[in-house]
Amino acid sequence: MAILEVKNLKKYFPVTGGVFLRRTGWVYALDDVSFTLNKGKTLGVVGESGCGKTTLARCLMGLYNPSEGEVIIKGRVVSKLNSQQRKKLALNLQMIFQDPFESLDPRQTVKQILEEKYIIHGKNSGNLDSTINRLIERVGLLPDMLSKFPHEFSGGQRQRIGIARAISLEPEIIVCDEPVSALDVSVQSKILNLLLELQQKMGLTYIFISHDLSVVKHVSDRIAVMYLGKIVEMADANDIYNNGRHPYTNALLSSIPVPDPESGRNRIILKGEVPSVENPPAGCNFNTRCEYVQNICREKEPELLKNADDPNHLTACHLFHPPIR
Ligand code: SF4
């Protein structure tokens, strides 16, 4: 069953300039993004900085109002809900942030941090102390740590506190915004395994945002690759990893270190910088960096289309190349 549907979502930001701060253009942060996510599954969203991943997260969390398009949660169109209904819906959608230190109030103890949501949402009746004790144990920490402050913990422990806060009110959907990118590699896998364990036990649905395709592949059922505000490829995680078709996906895949140096995977170094979202290239937005660029790529924008041999695999490219690995 689809728990989350995103239909033709667009988010534009005005660019202003001059003495009177008149609008001089638009930043196309999110441009016609659509996907469906079933309950208990994970959609990984991957791309370089500035590709629109964080704008997507903020639109889903209701922190930005979309310029166009719809977010539909459990069949309810978010933009058509009144503020009371939106507040109720917000309990069902929580976020885990990239930097756990920034997102935890340094003046509060862990107990105060975890109690806050129960109190704000009037769910503090009954034995709140034992609820908090169970919550902290659920993320692999001990109840006697509750009296400590965030600075007394390691990065991995702080992220566990952030996860405990996100699951405290038992939401169904969690948006994970680069949840392990600020952590040491040795700690990353422990946090990823905790997220997978919680998903299994609580039936959670994740949107997992990262710039690192190897991390996204580890946790995702399906992966959307984003470039300059658009999804350029979307398929099941294994299919993206073993049969990536868009040249940008293949460049990302080629940067994943492999244990076997004889594997034959060649690193694809992309030319140039990511173009400005304020002034994206005409036609295919990847054409300024693509080694396969043709005339049509500069003239016509490719649509995100189902592949003839696999309708579950969508690609936005005028040419379908075999995997470059
Ligand atoms: Fe490259 Fe053209 Fe495909 Fe864009 S449409 S990714 S420029 S081959």
Side-chain angles (χ1 to χ4, degrees):
M1 187 190 95
I3 193 167
L4 173 67
E5 285 175 79
V6 169
K7 286 189 179 169
N8 308 106
L9 198 66
K10 299 183 182 184
K11 182 64 188 172
Y12 303 154
F13 295 100
V15 180
T16 52
V19 183
F20 299 106
L21 290 179
R22 290 215 172 93
R23 180 168 55 75
T24 54
W26 294 97
V27 167
Y28 302 91
L30 209 57
D31 198 0
D32 209 7
V33 166
S34 300
F35 61 83
T36 302
L37 185 56
N38 286 348
K39 184 170 169 52
K41 300 289 181 191
T42 300
L43 175 74
V45 180
V46 70
E48 290 166 289
S49 166
C51 72
K53 314 181 293 276
T54 298
T55 306
L56 172 63
R58 286 170 178 256
C59 286
L60 294 176
M61 293 303 299
L63 301 172
Y64 289 154
N65 285 324
S67 307
E68 285 179 45
E70 297 288 7
V71 175
I72 304 166
I73 298 176
K74 296 182 90 175
R76 308 182 80 186
V77 180
V78 175
S79 62
K80 294 190 176 149
L81 300 179
N82 61 35
S83 61
Q84 199 62 28
Q85 290 168 320
R86 278 195 193 208
K87 230 174 165 180
K88 209 170 158 198
L89 190 79
L91 294 179
N92 208 14
L93 198 71
Q94 296 293 323
M95 192 158 178
I96 296 169
F97 297 91
Q98 175 177 2
D99 187 342
F101 199 54
E102 290 274 302
S103 65
L104 302 175
D105 186 341
R107 294 159 303 178
Q108 287 188 315
T109 63
V110 175
K111 184 163 187 276
Q112 289 169 322
I113 290 168
L114 296 180
E115 278 175 346
E116 205 170 33
K117 278 201 175 170
Y118 292 97
I119 295 167
I120 289 172
H121 297 286
K123 296 193 181 284
N124 53 335
S125 57
N127 192 342
L128 188 55
D129 282 353
S130 63
T131 305
I132 299 287
N133 285 352
R134 279 200 304 277
L135 181 62
I136 198 86
E137 283 173 342
R138 217 168 188 182
V139 296
L141 298 177
L142 299 169
D144 62 11
M145 294 172 165
L146 286 167
S147 57
K148 294 186 175 180
F149 289 88
H151 73 268
E152 298 177 76
F153 291 90
S154 67
Q157 288 173 322
R158 281 197 290 264
Q159 193 55 295
R160 285 176 190 268
I161 297 164
I163 293 170
R165 185 175 56 180
I167 62 167
S168 58
L169 297 179
E170 311 220 338
E172 289 183 276
I173 304 170
I174 298 188
V175 178
C176 309
D177 188 7
E178 302 264 12
V180 296
S181 58
L183 304 176
D184 289 345
V185 176
S186 58
V187 182
Q188 286 186 357
S189 61
K190 291 181 183 154
I191 296 295
L192 294 176
N193 288 337
L194 172 65
L195 289 170
L196 290 172
E197 185 190 314
L198 292 170
Q199 181 173 44
Q200 214 176 25
K201 287 184 179 159
M202 300 175 68
L204 294 167
T205 304
Y206 292 141
I207 303 279
F208 192 100
I209 290 170
S210 177
H211 65 281
D212 186 339
L213 192 46
S214 61
V215 168
V216 165
K217 195 247 170 193
H218 186 67
V219 293
S220 304
D221 297 289
R222 205 159 161 76
I223 294 176
V225 180
M226 289 191 70
Y227 187 78
L228 276 189
K230 292 175 186 288
I231 294 178
V232 295
E233 184 158 19
M234 183 158 55
D236 292 346
N238 279 333
D239 205 16
I240 286 277
Y241 198 73
N242 297 315
N243 189 22
R245 296 177 180 192
H246 195 282
Y248 179 60
T249 307
N250 282 313
L252 291 181
L253 283 167
S254 78
S255 66
I256 298 175
V258 284
D260 176 10
E262 306 290 317
S263 68
R265 182 185 284 186
N266 295 320
R267 177 92 197 255
I268 301 165
I269 309 287
L270 289 175
K271 299 175 289 179
E273 298 294 321
V274 180
S276 160
V277 272
E278 208 179 309
N279 189 19
C284 171
N285 63 9
F286 189 58
N287 79 52
T288 53
R289 302 172 84 194
C290 180
E291 60 182 312
Y292 302 100
V293 62
Q294 319 254 315
N295 285 340
I296 187 175
C297 306
R298 299 189 184 93
E299 291 157 9
K300 191 170 170 229
E301 186 182 336
E303 284 178 66
L304 184 66
L305 295 175
K306 292 176 182 173
N307 288 198
D309 61 340
D310 179 2
N312 214 19
H313 193 141
L314 288 83
T315 317
C317 175
H318 291 303
L319 313 170
F320 288 157
H321 298 284
I324 311 164
R325 283 172 298 112

